């Protein structure tokens, strides 16, 4: 406070000096008159002004005496002043005075030739005059409005340059006062120099006005100071011809204001556009940032899937539905005769066969026509590019997000004032809604708790050897569990293959569903086991979560592996079947031509109802269906688990607590906690399924968008209504890079089978956009051949030469290596700098 | 031909003699004008107010002086909203016409019930630190002062000064441990345990105390708050 008052005092002092100097062009007078002001620090600026005014008056009286040379002119002025005094209101007086001044100036100009004024001054005066005239006109037009404009305009100068120049100002004033007295004594009218100084003066006052708001004064003081400054500026600004661009200036100010408002509104709009922001914030305030990080991840995933959905829907499904051949025109677009009866049953549709199978939802429905519709839409090409684009886009977005997150993590993570900032800046003064306030209180408490956990964790000192031993032991146990479950899966899969070879009909329900059951049981019990194991390790909960995630991830990979193996087996079976069907087809066709093998292929094909045509197994559609079914059943399982495991349990605990022998809420069943690791992994694996399957089932992204959308609402509700926060609420790491890394890994794993099937398995002969080709990617070379000029094909051929591609890959690897090295060195430099900062801070503290 | 300084001198003198008449501390017109400017930050922040305030400024300016001779405090577009808020808290006490009545104060109880302040855990402290007597009763001047500091346009330094005042519960110009504990209790609705509170307070002092006197002076506070990323965005009220 002492500092404050001192600065305040300085302001007042300086200001009073300025004032006196300006008002009273002699230094002597200033000293004599304002000595008391300077001594009396408590004098408000208002009083200062009074003094100044007093000085003015005195001067008025004194001047004629001291400077005889001007006696005549001054006397005339004096007369005018008297007239002004008689005038009732100040403003009116001023206006008149201005008018008069204008007139007087006109007269003066006429007389100036005879008096022989310096030409410079004349010029100035001429300028002045024109301005005065303008003002006069305004005055005549708008009565007193002109003045008001002036005043207002000055205030709107919203320069934020502060009042640093106070000190300079003082000096200038002194100089100025000297020159002013000189000019007075030499009987010289205003010079350019003086004008410039005055201008400066006015500018400074304006600055004062603009920055007045920033001063920690009481309102009264502000008022008086402002008033003074305004008067000064108003008085001289007109004379200096500053009032010219008024309208433009006002317009500019208005526009800046509007622009600012627009920007703020736009910000608000943008925030309002972020979906589920409020929900997530609410959850974060009650459950901590770690639970919120799951929902943020879910939202991010939703965004990705929206784009994937847009790609497949806009470029594949809609064009086919609008421009492709209608349902029933081709065998591949028709439900076969044998299935027609049950094609519309709900059970069939729920299983994604029947009509669902023979629709745009699946690969098999698309025709291999090169172009469709009047737009000549290249359907097969589009299909292929969308499939590749989906994967490419996913890679790009995941890696980009990871890079951005890493940046955030590396950059300004300044925790030096962690607690202080939490203490002093966490309350949002804008909050005016009781509910929001409750949330905010909860979130502040949570964030404090998080910070306390971190702090305690860093303070904790324990027996390092014991912890190390326990951690090694825990990892060993976890590895054993993983290995055991891996072997179990392997064993079960092998056994099931044996069963399949011998024919499943001979076995019971358990043998048929052994693989699935073992997988689900493992998925159910292993995470709990890992949980128990991780309690040995005594990690910080955030790190413990990572370990948990990693272990469950490894477990789930087994799941994925068996699924893919099973699928590959099935594909191989279908391929075998296809060969047989192909052979049968030729026989069937032959039978159509009355047993004669069609040597004359020019004969028109005999019309058969497309439902009756025999067809291949179309393994692509089968794969797509598998993935869709898997996704749907996965979704259902998640929802049912939430409803039973969370909701029913919560209901039970809540209501049976009244009539139970022990405390259910704090005792055994208790409410469930939100299982972050399980949910995150579920999400990630689900996304892997989408990436793998979306090439064969274009509807998969749509289904996933729906799933994510509903699960957002359901899980938000479930968390808020049936879960309790973890015992140790911990802060999520700011970037979700751990989740992202897993996602990237899964993305990689899921592209492998998709790319493998695209590249090395021949497409079915009678379904899908690539039927009739030996490999799917041939659509590219076909397009190059037909739609591009021949030279382009040649260039492409040269470019795809291994001789060019290998060096290119080498170059890329080298550049990656280089970039990696540089980024490492930057990181080190960063760390070094941080350390330096910290040490300097510590030194400062010691001082 | 007269030289300009002389002309200005005349003018000045004339003004000074005339000006006195309308230069009381509660010159209604002046107040309005000044408030309007001081509160530009506020004026544009509230949608309702912006509608009034961002009408053509030229028109506004012209309309203002026209009202002056009437001497009434018929409000200028910006200030009146604030005055309206002040007035509506106690319509019987606060006059609409400020030309002669300089000394009206509203007690803290009324002010902390404003919806803008109601939920704020520091509402009492805010009001106290802006009241001239330190007791919490605000004159209209103080009231305007408060919202001008809490406006969006107020600079960081000014906000820091008043934030320091607000968090300094016992007004000894230092934020000591007791102040921190009070702040923390208000922030968390006393949901932390005693150990946690002491831990946090110790940490805060450890972090921000530069001169090592075990409490935060204004310099410490300003240093800390000047680096805070969201101080400016949270320490303001829209009215």
């Amino acid at each position: 406070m002492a500092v404050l008052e001192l600065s305040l005092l300085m302001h007042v002092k300086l200001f009073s000096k300025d004032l006196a100097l300006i008002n009273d062009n002699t230094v002597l007078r200033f000293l004599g008159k304002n000595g008391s002001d300077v001594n009396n620090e408590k004098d408000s600026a208002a009083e200062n002004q009074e003094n100044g005014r007093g000085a003015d008056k005195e001067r008025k009286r004194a001047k004629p005496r001291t400077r005889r040379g001007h006696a005549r002119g001054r006397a005339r002025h004096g007369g005018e002043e008297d007239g002004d005094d008689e005038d009732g209101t100040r403003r009116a007086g001023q206006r008149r005075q201005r008018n008069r001044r204008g007139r007087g100036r006109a007269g003066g100009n006429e007389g100036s030739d005879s008096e022989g004024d310096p030409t410079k001054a004349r010029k100035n005066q001429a300028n002045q005059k024109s301005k005065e005239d303008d003002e006069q006109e305004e005055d005549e037009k708008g009565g007193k409005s002109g003045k008001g404009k002036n005043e207002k305009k000055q205030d709107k100068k919203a320069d934020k340059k502060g009042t640093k120049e106070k000190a300079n100002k003082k000096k200038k004033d002194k100089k100025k006062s000297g020159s002013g007295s000189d000019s007075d004594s030499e009987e010289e009218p205003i010079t350019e120099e003086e004008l410039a100084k005055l201008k400066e003066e006015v500018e400074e006052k304006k600055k004062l006005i603009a920055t007045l708001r920033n001063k920690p004064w009481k309102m009264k003081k502000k008022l008086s100071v402002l008033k003074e400054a305004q008067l000064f500026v108003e008085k001289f600004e007109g004379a200096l011809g500053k009032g010219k661009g008024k309208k433009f200036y006002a317009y500019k100010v208005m526009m800046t204001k509007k622009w600012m408002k627009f920007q703020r509104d736009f910000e608000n709009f943008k925030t309002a556009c972020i979906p589920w922001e409020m929900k997530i914030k609410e959850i974060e305030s009650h459950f901590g940032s770690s639970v919120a990080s799951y929902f943020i991840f879910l939202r991010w995933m939703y965004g990705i899937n929206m784009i994937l959905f847009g790609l497949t829907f806009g470029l594949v499904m809609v064009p086919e539905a609008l421009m492709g051949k209608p349902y029933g025109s081709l065998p591949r677009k028709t439900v076969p005769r044998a299935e027609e009866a049950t094609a519309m049953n709900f059970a069939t549709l729920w299983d994604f066969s029947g009509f669902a199978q023979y629709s745009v939802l699946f690969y098999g429905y698309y025709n291999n026509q090169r172009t469709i519709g009047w737009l000549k839409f290249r359907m097969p090409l589009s299909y292929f590019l969308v499939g590749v684009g989906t994967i490419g886009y996913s890679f790009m977005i995941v890696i980009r997000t990871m890079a951005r997150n890493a940046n955030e993590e590396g950059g300004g993570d300044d925790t030096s004032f962690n607690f202080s900032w939490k203490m002093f800046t966490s309350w949002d003064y804008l909050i005016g809604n009781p509910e929001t306030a409750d949330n905010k209180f909860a979130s502040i408490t949570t964030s404090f708790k998080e910070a306390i956990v971190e702090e305690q964790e860093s303070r904790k000192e324990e027996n390092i050897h014991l912890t190390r031993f326990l951690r090694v032991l825990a990892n060993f146990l976890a590895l054993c569990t993983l290995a055991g479950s891996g072997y179990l899966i392997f064993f079960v899969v092998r056994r099931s293959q044996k069963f399949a070879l011998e024919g499943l009909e001979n076995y019971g329900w358990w043998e048929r569903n052994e693989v699935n059951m073992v997988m689900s049981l493992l998925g159910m019990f292993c995470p709990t086991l890992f949980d128990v194991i991780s309690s040995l390790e005594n990690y910080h909960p955030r790190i413990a979560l990572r370990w948990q995630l990693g272990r469950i991830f490894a477990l789930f990979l087994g799941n994925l592996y068996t699924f893919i193996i099973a699928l590959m087996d099935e594909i191989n079976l279908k391929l075998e079947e296809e060969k047989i069907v192909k052979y049968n087809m030729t026989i069937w066709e032959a039978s159509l031509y009355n047993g004669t093998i069609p040597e004359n292929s020019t004969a028109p094909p005999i019309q058969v109802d497309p439902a009756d045509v025999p067809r291949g197994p179309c393994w692509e559609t089968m794969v797509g269906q598998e993935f869709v079914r898997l996704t749907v059943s996965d979704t259902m399982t998640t929802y049912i688990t939430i409803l039973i495991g969370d909701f029913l349990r919560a209901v039970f605990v809540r209501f049976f607590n009244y009539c139970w022998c022990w405390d259910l809420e704090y005792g055994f069943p208790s409410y469930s906690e939100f299982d972050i690791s399980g949910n995150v992994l579920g999400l990630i694996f689900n996304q892997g399924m989408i990436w793998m399957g979306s090439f064969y089932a274009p509807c998969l992204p749509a289904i996933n968008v729906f799933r994510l959308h509903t699960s957002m609402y359901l899980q938000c509700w479930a968390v808020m209504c049936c879960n309790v926060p973890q015992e140790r609420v911990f802060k999520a790491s700011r970037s979700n890079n751990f989740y992202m890394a897993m996602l990237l890994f899964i993305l990689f794993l899921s592209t492998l089978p998709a790319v493998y099937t695209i590249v090395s398995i021949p497409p079915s002969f009678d379904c899908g956009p690539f039927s009739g080709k030996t490999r799917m990617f041939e659509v590219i070379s076909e397009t190059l051949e037909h739609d591009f000029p021949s030279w382009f094909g040649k260039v492409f051929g040269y470019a795809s030469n291994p001789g060019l591609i290998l060096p290119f890959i080498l170059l890329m690897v080298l550049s990656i290596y280089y970039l990696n090295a540089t980024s490492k060195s930057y990181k080190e430099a960063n760390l070094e700098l941080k350390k330096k900062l910290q040490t300097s801070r510590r030194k400062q503290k010691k001082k | 031909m007269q030289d300009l300084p002389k002309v200005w001198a005349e003018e000045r003198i004339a003004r000074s003699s005339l000006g006195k008449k309308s230069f009381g501390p509660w010159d209604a017109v002046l107040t309005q004008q000044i408030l309007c400017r001081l509160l530009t930050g506020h004026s544009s922040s509230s949608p309702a107010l912006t509608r009034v305030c961002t009408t053509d400024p030229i028109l506004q300016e012209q309309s203002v002086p026209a009202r002056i001779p009437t001497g009434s405090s018929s409000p200028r577009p910006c200030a009146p909203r604030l005055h309206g808020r002040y007035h509506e808290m106690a319509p019987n006490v606060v006059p609409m016409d400020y030309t002669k009545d300089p000394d009206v104060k509203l007690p803290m109880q009324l002010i902390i019930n404003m919806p803008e302040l109601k939920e704020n855990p520091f509402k009492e402290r805010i009001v106290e630190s802006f009241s001239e007597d330190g007791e919490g009763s605000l004159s209209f001047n103080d009231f305007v002062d408060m919202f001008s500091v809490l406006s969006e346009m107020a600079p960081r330094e000014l906000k820091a000064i008043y934030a320091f005042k607000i968090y300094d519960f016992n007004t000894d110009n230092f934020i000591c441990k007791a102040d921190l504990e009070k702040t923390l209790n208000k922030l968390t609705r006393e949901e932390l345990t005693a150990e946690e509170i002491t831990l946090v307070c110790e940490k805060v002092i450890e972090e921000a105390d530069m001169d090592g006197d075990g409490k935060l002076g204004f310099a410490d506070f300003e240093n800390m708050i000047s680096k805070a990323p969201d101080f400016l965005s949270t320490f303001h009220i829209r009215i």
Side-chain angles (χ1 to χ4, degrees):
Chain A
M1 278 323 290
V3 179
L4 255 180
E5 258 176 33
L6 201 79
S7 70
L8 200 144
L9 195 146
M10 285 298 286
H11 282 267
V12 173
K13 270 189 194 171
L14 290 172
F15 194 73
S16 65
K17 278 180 197 171
D18 295 345
L19 207 91
L21 286 170
I22 295 150
N23 284 348
D24 196 337
N25 285 335
T26 59
V27 183
L28 274 175
R29 191 160 287 281
F30 155 65
L31 286 174
K33 201 62 208 170
N34 286 303
S36 59
D37 288 8
V38 176
N39 292 335
N40 187 1
E41 36 185 82
K42 293 289 173 191
D43 261 1
S44 73
E47 279 168 300
N48 283 336
Q49 215 214 1
E50 297 289 344
N51 282 340
R53 244 181 253 130
D56 271 343
K57 270 192 184 165
E58 220 168 279
R59 184 176 158 239
K60 183 180 107 190
R61 265 177 257 125
K63 253 187 187 169
R65 260 180 273 134
T66 49
R67 294 169 209 149
R68 302 252 154 102
H70 302 275
R72 200 166 42 117
R74 205 152 287 130
R76 210 177 73 207
H77 294 313
E80 282 171 6
E81 281 152 20
D82 289 344
D84 283 341
D85 278 339
E86 284 157 24
D87 225 312
T89 67
R90 175 169 49 105
R91 273 153 223 281
Q94 199 215 354
R95 179 170 53 96
R96 256 184 230 180
Q97 205 177 4
R98 233 181 240 160
N99 292 349
R100 211 174 299 142
R101 202 200 302 162
R103 265 175 255 133
R105 181 94 17 75
N109 265 353
E110 284 160 24
S112 66
D113 294 321
S114 58
E115 280 176 33
D117 272 1
T119 41
K120 236 198 247 171
R122 209 183 299 154
K123 243 186 248 165
N124 287 342
Q125 280 173 350
N127 285 346
Q128 230 67 64
K129 203 203 145 208
S130 64
K131 249 131 242 175
E132 301 287 299
D133 286 349
D134 283 355
E135 270 174 30
Q136 228 173 302
E137 279 171 27
E138 269 172 33
D139 281 0
E140 279 158 17
K141 261 192 257 165
K144 286 157 191 173
S145 65
K147 209 202 139 234
K149 261 187 216 172
N150 237 357
E151 219 174 70
K152 180 96 183 201
K153 197 210 123 195
Q154 296 145 17
D155 307 312
K156 288 201 172 167
K157 278 254 170 185
D159 290 353
K160 287 209 167 180
K161 283 179 187 168
T163 48
K164 293 164 209 162
E165 288 128 288
K166 284 266 160 174
N168 308 348
K169 197 175 169 186
K170 195 177 156 191
K171 268 188 226 159
K172 272 181 213 155
D173 283 339
K174 271 194 181 151
K175 253 193 246 160
K176 195 209 141 182
S177 66
S179 71
S181 58
D182 283 353
S183 70
D184 264 357
S185 61
E186 282 164 28
E187 208 173 351
E188 215 177 25
I190 191 158
T191 61
E192 287 225 325
E193 205 183 326
E194 261 189 339
L195 251 184
K197 269 172 199 160
L198 258 172
K199 246 179 206 174
E200 258 174 44
E201 205 77 45
V202 170
E203 283 303 315
E204 272 158 27
K205 290 279 180 200
K206 277 184 184 170
K207 252 177 236 162
L208 177 76
I209 293 171
T211 54
L212 189 69
R213 199 193 299 139
N214 306 352
K215 299 217 168 62
W217 300 343
K218 284 285 167 203
M219 194 49 80
K220 257 186 199 174
K221 182 172 286 168
K222 279 187 190 171
L223 286 176
S224 50
V225 171
L226 181 65
K227 160 103 183 169
E228 247 165 55
Q230 274 180 348
L231 281 182
F232 180 84
V233 173
E234 169 196 312
K235 197 190 309 168
F236 291 108
E237 198 176 44
L240 290 171
K242 275 271 183 171
K244 256 276 162 168
K246 249 184 280 183
K247 278 194 181 167
F248 175 68
Y249 189 78
Y251 178 73
K252 223 168 71 181
V253 166
M254 190 185 71
M255 284 322 282
T256 27
K257 260 191 181 174
K258 284 211 164 144
W259 174 239
M260 274 173 62
K261 181 172 167 359
F262 171 75
Q263 270 179 327
R264 188 171 38 236
D265 285 352
F266 189 68
E267 278 307 310
N268 286 345
F269 176 71
K270 269 203 308 204
T271 325
C273 278
I274 301 174
W276 305 305
E277 185 72 0
M278 282 311 293
K279 268 178 193 285
I280 292 176
K281 281 270 173 307
E282 204 180 334
I283 288 171
E284 185 171 13
S285 62
H286 284 99
F287 290 83
S289 48
S290 47
V291 175
S293 76
Y294 163 73
F295 284 96
I296 290 169
F297 187 58
L298 176 62
R299 185 176 63 186
W300 183 83
M301 214 71 122
Y302 181 76
I304 303 276
N305 277 288
M306 275 308 262
I307 289 178
L308 298 189
F309 167 69
L311 275 178
T312 49
F313 191 73
L315 291 176
V316 174
M317 287 163 80
V318 169
E320 175 68 24
L322 289 181
M323 301 187 288
K325 285 191 176 166
Y327 173 83
S329 55
L330 286 172
R332 69 182 68 178
K333 297 195 177 204
T334 323
V335 178
R337 188 70 72 197
E339 297 173 25
E340 254 175 12
T342 57
M344 264 318 271
N345 287 359
F346 179 74
T348 322
L349 287 181
W350 185 247
D351 210 26
F352 287 93
S353 37
F355 277 111
Q357 187 182 346
Y358 299 94
S359 70
V360 283
L361 301 184
F362 290 102
Y363 173 93
Y365 181 78
Y366 295 82
N367 195 7
N368 62 346
Q369 257 179 309
R370 228 171 65 75
T371 60
I372 55 170
W374 53 274
L375 273 178
K376 301 241 174 282
F377 190 81
R378 268 103 178 131
M379 195 55 199
L381 180 70
S382 164
Y383 196 99
F384 185 79
L385 288 184
V386 164
V388 172
T390 300
I391 287 165
Y393 171 78
S394 310
F395 264 116
M396 202 185 71
I397 199 82
V398 171
I399 288 176
R400 227 180 52 188
T401 315
M402 279 181 81
R404 206 174 43 223
N405 284 349
N407 263 352
E408 257 173 36
E409 213 166 356
D413 189 24
D414 189 11
T415 54
S416 49
F417 290 117
N418 188 11
F419 279 94
S420 321
W421 288 344
K422 274 207 173 63
M423 180 87 91
F424 294 119
T425 65
S426 56
W427 181 262
D428 193 344
Y429 281 58
L430 281 170
I431 291 173
N433 176 349
E435 264 178 53
T436 325
D438 281 346
N439 277 346
K440 191 71 189 175
F441 280 122
S443 97
I444 288 174
T445 313
T446 321
S447 80
F448 266 116
K449 277 188 179 158
E450 284 175 354
I452 289 169
V453 166
E454 312 268 308
E455 186 57 32
Q456 281 169 343
E457 210 60 40
S458 68
R459 278 189 188 184
K460 220 190 266 177
E461 280 174 26
E462 284 160 345
N463 188 346
I464 297 175
H465 294 293
L466 181 69
T467 14
R468 267 188 200 155
F469 170 73
L470 282 177
R471 281 177 191 179
V472 169
L473 181 74
N475 275 320
F476 178 72
L477 286 179
L479 269 181
C480 285
T481 321
L482 280 178
S485 64
Y487 180 73
L488 194 63
I489 291 172
F490 178 72
F491 177 75
V492 171
V493 168
R494 270 238 319 247
R495 221 161 79 113
S496 77
Q497 277 170 350
K498 200 181 74 190
F499 292 150
L501 278 180
E502 291 170 11
L504 276 176
E505 295 77 29
N506 312 331
Y507 295 95
W509 179 86
W510 171 256
E511 278 84 0
R512 251 181 271 169
N513 295 295
E514 201 176 40
V515 180
N516 288 339
M517 288 310 293
V518 166
M519 307 278 293
S520 342
L521 284 179
L522 279 179
M524 215 184 279
F525 289 111
C526 281
T528 343
L529 203 62
F530 289 146
D531 222 5
V532 173
I533 290 172
S534 71
S535 68
L536 274 181
E537 293 174 311
N538 208 0
Y539 274 126
H540 179 275
R542 189 169 50 227
I543 300 163
L545 173 71
R546 288 195 176 184
W547 279 99
Q548 177 84 348
L549 276 174
R551 285 165 189 162
I552 303 177
F553 186 77
L555 184 76
F556 276 24
L557 274 185
N559 197 333
L560 199 70
Y561 147 83
T562 42
F563 181 72
I564 290 172
I565 295 277
L567 246 148
M568 282 298 176
D569 281 347
E570 205 146 344
I571 288 176
N572 286 334
L573 281 179
K574 294 266 169 168
L575 284 175
E576 295 295 320
E577 194 185 327
E578 202 178 72
K579 273 178 198 159
I580 300 166
V581 169
K582 243 182 181 171
Y583 178 70
N584 285 348
M585 278 281 276
T586 46
I587 295 173
W588 175 76
E589 268 175 14
S591 73
L592 280 182
Y593 293 99
N594 296 328
T596 55
I597 291 162
E599 288 147 359
N600 50 342
S601 54
T602 49
I606 295 160
Q607 289 300 315
V608 190
D609 188 10
D612 292 327
V613 177
R615 53 190 79 179
C618 198
W619 60 268
E620 291 97 336
T621 299
M622 184 270 297
V623 171
Q625 270 174 312
E626 279 305 313
F627 278 111
V628 171
R629 277 178 212 148
L630 200 73
T631 310
V632 171
S633 70
D634 187 34
T635 314
M636 299 315 290
T637 332
T638 318
Y639 290 172
I640 289 169
T641 320
I642 287 173
L643 282 181
I644 293 176
D646 289 344
F647 182 63
L648 286 186
R649 179 169 158 188
V651 168
F652 173 78
V653 169
R654 175 81 179 74
F655 291 105
F656 279 76
N657 200 28
Y658 296 123
C659 49
W660 206 263
C661 12
W662 69 83
D663 192 357
L664 285 173
E665 282 182 342
Y666 291 95
F668 162 58
S670 160
Y671 297 107
S672 54
E673 285 178 3
F674 186 76
D675 173 21
I676 304 172
S677 52
N679 276 304
V680 165
L681 284 175
L683 205 59
I684 286 174
F685 276 86
N686 175 55
Q687 193 58 38
M689 299 287 158
I690 304 303
W691 279 322
M692 272 194 273
S694 64
F695 188 75
Y696 299 116
C699 65
L700 211 46
I703 292 173
N704 200 37
V705 163
F706 179 73
R707 174 219 162 111
L708 292 178
H709 198 95
T710 46
S711 95
M712 187 63 153
Y713 284 104
L714 189 74
Q715 287 195 308
C716 276
W717 164 79
V719 162
M720 288 307 284
C721 130
C722 357
N723 287 5
V724 286
Q726 275 124 332
E727 268 173 53
R728 297 167 76 197
V729 181
F730 61 95
K731 202 174 149 224
S733 61
R734 278 207 313 182
S735 64
N736 290 342
N737 259 4
F738 193 69
Y739 299 167
M740 287 293 166
M742 286 197 295
L743 193 66
L744 189 68
F745 187 58
I746 280 292
L747 176 57
F748 179 71
L749 284 186
S750 51
T751 23
L752 280 186
V755 168
Y756 172 76
T757 50
I758 289 172
V759 171
S760 56
I761 297 182
S764 306
F765 72 98
D766 66 341
C767 68
F770 311 112
S771 55
K773 298 187 176 63
T774 49
R775 293 285 183 270
M776 288 176 192
F777 58 83
E778 273 172 17
V779 71
I780 295 282
S781 54
E782 188 194 73
T783 310
L784 279 176
E785 218 171 277
H786 289 93
D787 295 338
F788 287 92
S790 57
W791 62 265
F792 192 85
K794 262 183 202 165
V795 169
F796 192 80
Y798 289 133
S800 58
N801 185 337
L804 269 178
I805 286 183
L806 280 181
F808 184 69
I809 289 175
L810 206 65
L811 193 73
M812 293 235 296
V813 169
L814 281 179
S815 65
I816 287 172
Y817 180 75
Y818 169 75
L819 288 177
N820 201 17
T822 43
S823 84
K824 247 183 202 166
S825 67
Y826 282 143
K827 226 177 232 174
E828 269 167 27
N830 234 349
L831 272 180
E832 202 67 19
L833 283 175
K834 247 184 202 170
K835 261 185 204 165
K836 266 184 195 168
L837 267 180
Q838 274 174 353
T839 47
S840 73
R841 219 179 130 246
R842 234 172 266 145
K843 271 180 200 165
Q844 215 179 350
K845 230 185 212 179
K846 274 174 194 166
K847 276 174 196 169
Chain B
M1 176 57 218
Q2 323 109 1
D3 41 349
L4 276 177
K6 281 180 213 156
V7 178
W8 292 332
E10 282 167 31
E11 229 182 297
R12 218 157 43 222
I13 294 159
R15 187 87 45 82
S16 65
S17 55
L18 290 169
K20 263 185 189 168
K21 284 176 194 168
S22 54
F23 200 66
W26 271 111
D27 178 341
V29 177
L30 194 67
T31 318
Q32 286 158 10
Q33 289 170 354
I34 292 163
L35 295 187
C36 199
R37 262 146 234 160
L38 284 172
L39 292 165
T40 36
H42 281 310
S43 62
S44 53
S45 58
S46 142
L49 194 49
T50 325
R51 225 184 307 119
V52 193
C53 277
T54 47
T55 50
D56 185 1
I58 296 168
L59 282 177
Q60 268 182 34
E61 282 155 29
Q62 280 172 348
S63 67
V64 175
R67 279 183 190 152
I68 288 164
T70 65
S72 80
S73 61
S74 65
R76 280 281 299 283
C78 299
R81 183 179 158 89
L82 208 53
H83 185 256
R85 294 300 304 276
Y86 190 68
H87 179 81
E88 85 188 13
M89 282 189 287
N92 303 326
V93 186
V94 181
M96 280 312 279
D97 185 3
Y98 258 107
T99 36
K100 40 198 175 283
D101 194 356
D103 196 29
V104 172
K105 285 189 174 178
L106 289 187
M108 176 158 75
Q109 279 314 315
L110 281 175
I111 291 172
I112 59 176
N113 276 328
M114 289 177 74
E116 282 83 1
L117 288 176
K118 207 172 178 187
E119 299 300 331
N120 200 315
F122 306 111
K123 53 193 172 192
E124 289 93 0
R125 278 304 303 156
I126 297 174
V127 175
E128 272 167 27
S129 31
F130 282 99
S131 77
E132 213 161 4
D133 51 5
E135 295 286 307
S137 37
L138 294 191
S139 65
F140 182 49
N141 261 342
D142 301 329
F143 187 73
V144 172
D145 219 9
M146 178 163 87
F147 283 107
S148 124
V149 168
L150 290 171
S151 86
E152 213 171 357
M153 307 288 278
R156 192 182 268 269
E157 300 84 47
L158 184 67
K159 280 177 182 263
I161 289 168
Y162 280 96
F164 183 77
K165 278 190 192 175
I166 287 170
Y167 295 121
D168 179 17
F169 279 79
N170 48 15
T171 59
D172 59 353
N173 289 337
F174 284 103
I175 295 185
C176 55
K177 257 191 183 160
D179 294 328
L180 288 176
E181 275 168 22
K182 273 186 190 164
T183 313
L184 192 57
N185 274 333
K186 280 187 185 282
L187 268 180
T188 57
R189 287 191 175 158
E190 306 186 11
E191 274 183 34
L192 296 184
T193 61
E195 299 97 67
E196 285 171 330
I197 287 174
T198 22
L199 178 89
V200 171
C201 294
E202 271 168 18
K203 279 301 290 180
V204 170
I205 298 233
E206 186 190 320
E207 282 168 2
D209 184 20
M210 287 295 175
D211 43 16
D213 55 358
K215 49 192 180 180
L216 307 186
F218 179 67
D220 300 331
F221 184 79
E222 200 188 17
N223 176 40
M224 179 269 295
I225 216 87
S226 65
K227 288 170 193 155
D230 40 13
F231 172 61
L232 275 190
S233 60
T234 56
F235 195 73
H236 81 96
I237 294 180
R238 285 184 188 156
I239 187 167

